Amino acid sequence: MKATLTTCPYCGTGCNFYLLSDAQGGLLGVEPAGHHPTTRGQLCIKGWNAHAFVDHPERLKTPLIRKNDSLQPTDWQTALDLLHAKLSGIARKHGPDSLMFLSSAKVSNEENYLLMKLARAGYGTNNIDHCARLCHSSTVTGLVETLGSGAMTNSLSCFEETDLIFVIGSNTTEQHPLIGSRILQAVQRGARLIVADSRKIRLSRHADLHLRHQNGSDVALLNGMMRQILQDGLEDRAFIEGRTENFAELQQSLDPFTPDQVAHITGLQSGQIIDASRLFAGADKAMLVYAMGITQHSHGVDNVRAVSNLALLTGNLGRPGTGINPLRGQNNVQGACDMGALPDVFSGYQQVADPLVRQKFSCAWGVKLPGTQGLMSTHAIEAAAEGRLHGMLILGENPMISDANQALVRKGLEALEFLAVIDIFPTETVQLADLVLPAACYAEREGTYTSTERRVQRGRKAVDPPGEARADWQILRALLQRCGLPGDYADPAEIMTEIASLTPSYGGISYPRLEGEGLQWPCPDGAHPGTPILHREQCTRGKGRFSPVAYRPSMELPDADYPLLLNTGRTNVHWHTGSMTRRSHLLDREERQAFVEINPEDATRHQLSDRQQLRISSRRGSITLAVRLTDRVPPGQVFIPFHFAEGAANALTNNILDPESGIPEFKVCAVRIEPC
C-alpha cells in the first residue's frame, strides 16, 4: 500500500492527509497527517471521505463535442483545435472582450495562473474571474481599502493564544470543522465566545453571548458596538493615535447608532448590544472570525469595513491572538485570488491598469496586454443574457447551481455562441456546453494550494486519471501553445518558478521549500521564513484606515406577497454544488434530499408538518422540497442549503449585487410557501 501526502480538496482550512492506494492504482482510503500544524491527526467527515468520489463511474473520461443536440466523444486533438478556433474566431468577430474565462478555487495555483495568462496574453482580455466573486470578493475590496491586504491577518495557531473570539456570520463547526474545534478548545481553555448569527448554530451553545440579529443588519450591530465602546472609553487610544487614520470621521458616523436605535434595526435587546461591546473591548486579545454571513449581501463590502473598524478601534491587529480572520470556503479560493484570476489584477494583486506592472508582464510573456478592467463573473452572466458576451470557457465551476437566480444563469449560458467546460463530472453546467474536456481531479495531479491562513502547500498525485482525462495545467499548456505563447512547462514546479519571478508575495516560494509544512505569504525571497501574522509594525497600506459606513437595509425584504426571509448556506456533509460529495456514498447517505428549515411557529401558521413536501417561491422561481421543522431558524425565516440541484436554492435567490464587489445577496430575499 502506498501513502501519498496531499492537501484536502474541500474547504479552505488547508488540512493535509495521506491518500492510501494499492498496487493496481486504486484508492483505498484516507489517513490524516499527524505532524501537520493544521490537521494534527484529525479530519472532518468530508476529509475522511475525500477519496470516495475519485473513481466514481460518472467521471468524465473523454472529450465531448455537441452534435445533433447531444454530447459525443471525440479525440483531444480535435477538441483542442476546435476550442482554440472558436475562441479566437469569436475574438476576431466581436472583439477580445466578447470572451469570458471562469477559473476555479478548486484547481491549483499553477492552473489558475495559466488560465489568467491564457485569457490576458492568449486572447487579449481581462475578462477572467472565479467563484471568489460569490463568496469573499467583499473581503478583498473591504480589507484592501482599510488595511492594504485582503487576506486573513492571523494564523490558525492564534486561537490558542486569544482571550475572546467573536464569530459573526460563520457556521464554523459545520463549514470549517477543524477551525470550529480550535474555537471550542479555546473556550474550554477559558476564552470568551460571542456568536452573532440569526440561526442557532452549534457554536452558539457554547457562547457567552448569542446575538440572533436580523439577517442584513450587521452594520447596525457593529456600529452600535463601536459607539458603546467609545461611550465607555474602552477604545485603544494609543493604537488609534499611532497606527490609524480617519478616526474623527468614524466617531462622527457612529452618533446615530444608539443602543435603542440598533435594537430597533437588529431585533436585539439594547442590553445585549451593550454587553457585547463591553465583553469584546474588555479582552486584551480578541479575534474576529467571519465568513459568508458577512460577505454575501448587497452591502457586503460595508459589512467588512465595519468588521475592520472594530478591530482597529480596539487595537486587535498585528498581534498573536487577535486579527480579522475571514474563513475561505474552498481549498484554493485564496490562491485563485493570489494568482490574478480576477478582472483587475495580475498575480499578487498587481493592477492591470498600472502601466509599469503591465510592462513587466508584457516583457515576461512577450505580448502586449490589455489595460482595461475586465468583467466580474456576475456581470458576465448578465452580459451573456443580453447578447453582449459570445464565448465562455469555464474551468471546474458549476454556475448553474452556485450562482444566484438560476433562470438568469441558464438564459445567459444558453445565449452564448460557444460554451466550453473543463470538469471531472457531468455537472448541470456541463449539460449546456458545446465542448467538454475531462480533467484530472486533485488526487491525480501535482500542484500547490493556498489555505485561508495564506499557507501555500503541495498537492501530490496519488493515482492516474481515468480514461483520457488530463490535468488542467496540461490542457491550458496546450491552449497557450496554440496561441503562439511560450508554454513548454515540464511540470507544475516549473510554472511556480515563473509565478515566483513575477509575484513579489510568492517570490521565495518554490517546490523544494514546500516539502515541510508549507509557507505563509508574503514570502518575498528564498531566505524568508514566511509571515504568520500580517500588519505587525504597520498595515500593508501604512496606517490602518477607518472607513465609516452607514446602515443600508437588504434590497428585498419580506412583504405581503412574499412574507418570509430566505437564508441560504451549507450542511456539514455536503460541499458547494454537491458534484463531489453527492457522489461520495457515505456523505450522500447522510443527507440525500433537499430540505427547508422552518420554525414550528411558521409551520403551524401554514398548517405544515415535518417532512411534508412544499412549494417555495420567490420573484425569480419556485422549487419543491421537504419541510424540516426546527427552532434553529427564528420565526419569519427559512433556510435552504444550496447543494441540491433538484431543490436548487439559487432558483430563488436575488442576483442584486453589491455595487463595489459584485457579490450577490445570497443571504436575504423574500419568499412564500405553499403546501403541495
Side-chain angles (χ1 to χ4, degrees):
M1 185 169 65
K2 184 176 74 170
T4 304
L5 181 64
T6 194
T7 300
C8 182
Y10 289 119
C11 79
T13 302
C15 295
N16 271 206
F17 55 62
Y18 293 93
L19 280 168
L20 308 177
S21 56
D22 60 23
Q24 289 72 44
L27 285 181
L28 303 173
V30 164
E31 184 176 292
H35 64 277
H36 190 263
T38 302
T39 313
R40 300 195 296 195
Q42 297 178 313
L43 289 173
C44 72
I45 187 171
K46 291 190 284 290
W48 278 111
N49 287 278
H51 65 291
F53 68 85
V54 173
D55 63 351
H56 193 279
E58 291 180 6
R59 283 289 303 272
L60 294 170
K61 298 174 183 173
T62 185
L64 302 169
I65 289 180
R66 186 168 298 280
K67 293 180 179 176
N68 301 322
D69 206 28
S70 67
L71 290 168
Q72 300 179 16
T74 189
D75 61 87
W76 273 104
Q77 180 78 25
T78 301
L80 289 168
D81 286 347
L82 175 68
L83 176 54
H84 176 61
K86 287 288 187 181
L87 294 179
S88 55
I90 290 171
R92 281 194 300 273
K93 181 179 178 183
H94 301 288
D97 290 340
S98 64
L99 297 174
M100 182 71 200
F101 295 81
L102 190 54
S103 196
S104 174
K106 290 193 283 289
V107 306
S108 68
N109 288 322
E110 292 79 1
E111 289 157 346
N112 273 288
Y113 174 84
L114 286 193
L115 187 58
M116 181 270 290
K117 180 176 180 178
L118 181 72
R120 292 180 162 128
Y123 295 102
T125 181
N126 285 318
N127 286 351
I128 177 163
D129 206 354
H130 72 288
C131 64
R133 188 64 51 202
L134 308 179
C135 59
H136 274 290
S137 54
S138 310
T139 293
V140 175
T141 303
L143 293 188
V144 165
E145 176 189 312
T146 58
L147 307 179
S149 171
M152 180 171 171
T153 65
N154 284 53
S155 296
L156 300 183
S157 61
C158 284
F159 286 107
E160 297 164 8
E161 303 178 65
T162 192
D163 299 318
L164 182 142
I165 303 165
F166 182 10
V167 179
I168 181 167
S170 165
N171 190 355
T172 320
T173 56
E174 297 202 26
Q175 312 319 322
H176 302 85
L178 265 63
I179 298 177
S181 295
R182 296 279 183 108
I183 294 174
L184 293 176
Q185 289 161 10
V187 171
Q188 290 174 345
R189 179 178 48 76
R192 312 297 294 274
L193 176 63
I194 303 173
V195 173
D197 197 307
S198 60
R199 297 172 74 216
K200 287 183 180 177
I201 60 173
R202 292 179 183 177
L203 273 182
S204 65
R205 302 176 197 163
H206 305 272
D208 295 279
L209 195 56
H210 180 199
L211 305 172
R212 301 188 77 181
H213 62 307
Q214 294 281 352
N215 280 30
S217 65
D218 305 277
V219 162
L221 171 60
L222 293 164
N223 280 357
M225 288 179 63
M226 286 186 277
R227 183 188 184 279
Q228 188 64 41
I229 288 169
L230 289 171
Q231 187 87 9
D232 291 338
L234 295 175
E235 73 273 21
D236 188 333
R237 185 61 64 171
F239 188 91
I240 293 168
E241 292 175 357
R243 294 201 47 189
T244 70
E245 62 187 25
N246 214 34
F247 173 65
E249 287 75 4
L250 174 79
Q251 193 170 24
Q252 185 177 4
S253 74
L254 299 177
D255 282 346
F257 294 92
T258 64
D260 286 346
Q261 178 63 16
V262 173
H264 174 71
I265 295 171
T266 60
L268 297 171
Q269 297 174 8
S270 57
Q272 291 178 294
I273 298 153
I274 295 170
D275 289 346
S277 309
R278 292 174 178 168
L279 193 57
F280 184 84
D284 178 47
K285 294 177 289 186
M287 298 178 74
L288 279 152
V289 175
Y290 72 85
M292 291 184 286
I294 280 290
T295 60
Q296 290 182 330
H297 293 274
S298 58
H299 47 264
V301 176
D302 283 351
N303 285 352
V304 174
R305 288 180 176 123
V307 169
S308 185
N309 289 340
L310 179 59
L312 293 172
L313 185 71
T314 51
N316 280 301
L317 194 72
R319 294 182 289 138
T322 68
I324 303 165
N325 302 283
L327 303 182
R328 308 283 177 161
Q330 301 202 40
N331 75 333
N332 201 36
V333 68
Q334 181 64 60
C337 292
D338 298 344
M339 292 300 105
L342 295 167
D344 57 340
V345 292
F346 295 103
S347 57
Y349 307 95
Q350 300 171 88
Q351 296 289 325
V352 297
D354 185 328
L356 293 179
V357 169
R358 223 164 45 246
Q359 183 180 21
K360 180 174 81 170
F361 280 88
S362 290
C363 290
W365 295 343
V367 294
K368 186 178 179 181
L369 295 168
T372 304
Q373 179 175 327
L375 285 174
M376 300 175 183
S377 65
T378 42
H379 289 156
I381 292 295
E382 295 171 352
E386 294 167 3
R388 294 184 285 112
L389 200 71
H390 299 279
M392 189 178 295
L393 172 59
I394 298 176
L395 171 60
E397 294 294 335
N398 188 12
M400 273 300 297
I401 302 300
S402 63
D403 286 26
N405 192 350
Q406 190 180 58
L408 177 69
V409 178
R410 176 177 289 279
K411 180 180 177 183
L413 296 182
E414 288 182 341
L416 293 168
E417 287 181 34
F418 183 74
L419 172 63
V421 179
I422 305 172
D423 214 317
I424 64 174
F425 285 118
T427 67
E428 293 73 16
T429 301
V430 163
Q431 302 306 320
L432 301 179
D434 301 293
L435 176 68
V436 179
L437 301 179
C441 78
Y442 82 101
E444 301 153 353
R445 63 180 186 228
E446 299 285 326
T448 63
Y449 304 85
T450 305
S451 74
T452 193
E453 61 172 351
R454 297 170 284 103
R455 187 182 298 276
V456 185
Q457 307 184 100
R458 289 281 307 277
R460 295 175 178 85
K461 178 179 177 179
V463 294
D464 290 329
E468 300 174 29
R470 295 181 181 179
D472 297 307
W473 70 268
Q474 293 173 316
I475 299 170
L476 298 172
R477 178 182 63 180
L479 288 170
L480 284 167
Q481 291 168 340
R482 279 166 172 76
C483 290
L485 295 167
D488 297 327
Y489 307 104
D491 52 39
E494 198 170 312
I495 303 170
M496 178 54 76
T497 300
E498 181 175 315
I499 293 170
S501 72
L502 291 168
T503 312
S505 56
Y506 278 64
I509 291 176
S510 63
Y511 272 46
R513 294 197 70 201
L514 297 178
E515 283 301 322
E517 300 174 350
L519 287 164
Q520 288 173 274
W521 66 257
C523 180
D525 59 60
H528 197 283
T531 309
I533 299 176
L534 298 177
H535 317 303
R536 274 187 174 273
E537 303 301 325
Q538 64 174 10
C539 293
T540 304
R541 68 180 298 278
K543 288 196 171 184
R545 180 175 177 79
F546 286 109
S547 184
V549 289
Y551 167 68
R552 290 184 287 130
S554 303
M555 297 299 289
E556 185 184 82
L557 292 170
D559 55 23
D561 294 328
Y562 297 90
L564 296 173
L565 184 151
L566 170 63
N567 182 13
T568 65
R570 310 172 193 160
T571 70
N572 65 326
V573 298
H574 284 303
W575 191 68
H576 290 271
T577 67
S579 60
M580 298 191 298
T581 53
R582 296 194 74 192
R583 291 181 173 90
S584 300
H585 171 67
L586 292 178
L587 297 177
D588 187 50
R589 187 186 67 182
E590 291 294 312
E591 199 80 83
R592 283 191 168 158
Q593 294 181 331
F595 63 89
V596 53
E597 290 183 352
I598 295 179
N599 187 278
E601 287 185 26
D602 294 318
T604 300
R605 191 174 303 116
H606 290 85
Q607 298 183 317
L608 296 169
S609 57
D610 199 30
R611 301 184 183 181
Q612 178 181 350
Q613 291 288 306
L614 66 75
R615 180 176 297 104
I616 181 165
S617 306
S618 74
R619 291 181 172 84
R620 291 155 293 280
S622 297
I623 57 175
T624 300
L625 66 181
V627 170
R628 184 170 292 180
L629 295 184
T630 174
D631 66 354
R632 291 185 73 184
V633 291
Q637 182 185 126
V638 297
F639 172 84
I640 304 176
F642 67 92
H643 312 298
F644 302 93
E646 67 276 20
N650 285 320
L652 309 175
T653 49
N654 191 354
N655 59 300
I656 191 75
L657 305 178
D658 180 291
E660 298 172 89
S661 67
I663 201 168
E665 190 146 65
F666 288 105
K667 297 301 185 188
V668 179
C669 77
V671 296
R672 66 178 176 228
I673 55 178
E674 307 161 80
C676 290

